[in-house]
Amino acid sequence: MGTVHPFPTGKGPAAQVGFERAELSRIVDLYGRMVAAGLWKDYAIEFGREAASFHAFRRAAERPDVRIEKRPALRGRQGMWALIGEHGAVLKRGHELGPVLAPIERRLLKLVGS
């Protein structure tokens, strides 16, 4: 017979970073509004040991327009949330998700108000 290995519990060095339900709900809500405005067409979600990322694409074959990243190791310093632009520059960093998403929401309001 084979060896039975315990299911990983999410504790310890091999744990994976993920989004909580409220965080993902807020991000997907913004994504839906950007799709409705015609700015984004596709997305990808990446979970790793150090960070979880949500990538939003204008077209499926391009690099992401923005990347929303959660990195818990930076919680005590710069903040665990980061908004990263198309070329890899950090556009906004903070301890809360709302203010980090504000530049995208402002861009959406300008499009709707015009």
Side-chain angles (χ1 to χ4, degrees), residues 28-98:
V28 171
D29 176 60
L30 176 62
Y31 171 77
R33 289 184 285 147
M34 294 296 275
V35 168
L39 294 175
W40 290 347
K41 306 280 187 218
D42 199 7
Y43 73 93
I45 300 177
E46 178 183 2
F47 300 110
R49 289 185 175 170
E50 297 174 3
S53 302
F54 183 92
H55 306 261
F57 297 87
R58 278 186 233 147
R59 291 177 200 83
E62 292 184 352
R63 66 178 120 182
D65 186 31
V66 295
R67 186 171 79 221
I68 302 162
E69 191 174 89
K70 178 182 179 181
R71 194 172 290 271
L74 298 178
R75 177 180 287 140
R77 293 187 285 201
Q78 306 157 340
M80 69 177 172
W81 292 101
L83 179 64
I84 301 168
E86 183 177 4
H87 299 290
V90 176
L91 304 175
K92 184 90 172 173
R93 186 177 292 278
H95 295 280
E96 299 293 325
L97 180 59

